[in-house]
Structures are given as C-alpha cells and as structure tokens.
Amino acid sequence: MINFHRVELACSIYEKGAYPRLLPEVALVGRSNVGKSSLINRILGRKSLARVSASPGKTRSINFYCVDEKMYLTDLPGYGFAQVGFEEREKWRRIIDRYFAADRDLRVVIMLVDIRHDPSREDCRMVDYLCSLGVDFLIVASKADKLSKKAAEENCRRIAEVLGVDSVILPFSARSGEGAATILDIIKERCDVDYGEN
C-alpha cells in the first residue's frame, strides 16, 4: 500500500542533469497554463506542492514528484507559449525529447487540454508524437468547472474529433475535484500500486 500523503519534489531537471532512480512513472504534458500543476496538487491532496503560476511558460524544468518512494508524477515543461522566444521553445523541445528518449519506467502519459477551446496545433502535434512513440496516454480536459455539464460533454467530443482519437476525453476540474478520483484510479491501475484509504 502506498502512502499517498507522503510526497516530495525529488528533483528538477533542466536541459542537462541526471534523472532520479527508476520507479513506475506517470508523466504530465500540455500547453503552458493548461493546469498541470493544479492537477498534481489536487490529486495529491496538497495546496501548493506544485507551483501554480498566473504567467504561462514559467515551468522550464522536468519536475519529478516522488510519492512514498514508490512512483513518480513527472511534470514536463508546458509547450506552445507564443511569447517565449524560438530559442527557449527549442530548449523546451529538447528537454521533452530527451525525457522520452530516456529509459524510464513510464506507465502512462496524462495529456491536458483546455476544455473551453479546440486543441491547438501544438496539442495535435503532441498526440502525433505520443502515438509515434507508442506510449500509452490519457487525454484530460481541464477547467471543466468553467462549463455546464452539457457544454463540457460536447466540447470533449469536439476535442476528440480535432485530435483524431477515438478514446474518451476525461473532464477534470482542480476546483471542484471532478475527474480526480478517476485519474487516481488510472494511476493506481497503471502503476500497480494500492492507495488503500489514503
């Protein structure tokens, strides 16, 4: 059984640096300011473990959050923020490429998109990239509390259409907690750990 409340930032890796030891791993990807840090905080039951910024493009490292020394939640730099220069965007791309080329025990990638908008060109490229790597991934539509249930369902169908996937898009709200339990169940299943009552 894993102690879900025992979590710490194991390390932050920039363009170069050694990754932490191998453990089952769940990676999070998505555009800048899509809510990856908020998702981490919500599913870990913490208010400010992952830093939430009002300014897109602030996460410039891979952040490895170690849960009970049994698994990692790994937050990759956000992509697609136009106000960041080309050189900086290329640096982020190299960081992400290096991560996926590493021999990690990656169980699933959680890709976040904003439920209020059609996926961007960068989102479509990320789906193609993940498919080319053959990794298992889940698409989560964040900020679901901003829409009615009917509108959220319609937008999730639209997101799947634009991304060209036949999988279900999972609505999620860091504010209300919608979708958090499902995400935890998926992490539990893929990482083969038992959260028990934690």
Side-chain angles (χ1 to χ4, degrees):
M1 181 182 298
I2 192 168
N3 182 351
F4 201 58
H5 301 294
R6 188 178 175 219
V7 55
E8 63 179 1
L9 176 61
C11 63
S12 295
I13 304 297
Y14 292 81
E15 194 166 3
K16 296 180 181 179
Y19 294 147
R21 65 190 178 96
L22 284 179
L23 291 172
E25 197 159 329
V26 174
L28 288 89
V29 299
R31 284 174 57 84
S32 297
N33 213 31
V34 76
K36 292 187 283 90
S37 295
S38 295
L39 184 148
I40 290 170
N41 288 332
R42 182 74 195 200
I43 65 176
L44 292 178
R46 305 286 281 271
K47 290 185 178 180
S48 57
L49 177 70
R51 293 182 62 187
V52 178
S53 174
S55 302
K58 289 296 185 182
T59 302
R60 304 186 181 191
S61 60
I62 301 176
N63 296 318
F64 293 85
Y65 297 94
C66 187
V67 183
D68 199 23
E69 299 186 359
K70 295 178 181 176
M71 62 167 290
Y72 296 112
L73 282 175
T74 304
D75 184 13
L76 274 65
Y79 54 79
F81 184 49
Q83 293 185 27
V84 174
F86 174 79
E87 183 176 335
E88 191 69 22
R89 291 200 303 271
E90 282 298 293
K91 182 184 294 184
W92 294 353
R93 184 188 61 77
R94 290 194 299 270
I95 291 171
I96 292 172
D97 285 345
R98 178 174 177 258
Y99 170 79
F100 282 112
D103 189 18
R104 306 297 297 170
D105 186 7
L106 186 59
R107 303 299 179 90
V108 66
V109 176
I110 298 176
M111 176 180 167
L112 274 74
V113 295
D114 190 324
I115 199 169
R116 301 170 296 176
H117 310 294
D118 278 0
S120 67
R121 182 181 303 176
E122 289 85 2
D123 290 324
C124 294
R125 287 175 177 166
M126 178 56 73
V127 166
D128 290 342
Y129 180 62
L130 295 174
C131 288
S132 73
L133 294 174
V135 299
D136 195 11
F137 63 93
L138 166 72
I139 300 174
V140 171
S142 65
K143 308 183 183 182
D145 57 284
K146 304 292 186 182
L147 300 177
S148 68
K149 184 174 181 180
K150 181 178 180 181
E153 291 173 353
E154 291 174 352
N155 283 22
C156 282
R157 286 193 291 269
R158 173 65 179 166
I159 289 167
E161 179 184 340
V162 173
L163 292 177
V165 297
D166 57 8
S167 55
V168 173
I169 309 299
L170 177 66
F172 168 76
S173 168
R175 178 169 296 179
S176 70
E178 177 183 358
T182 301
I183 294 170
L184 280 174
D185 285 344
I186 291 169
I187 291 172
K188 173 182 175 180
E189 176 188 351
R190 303 303 170 86
C191 293
D192 193 28
V193 294
D194 183 4
Y195 291 130
E197 299 299 321
N198 294 305

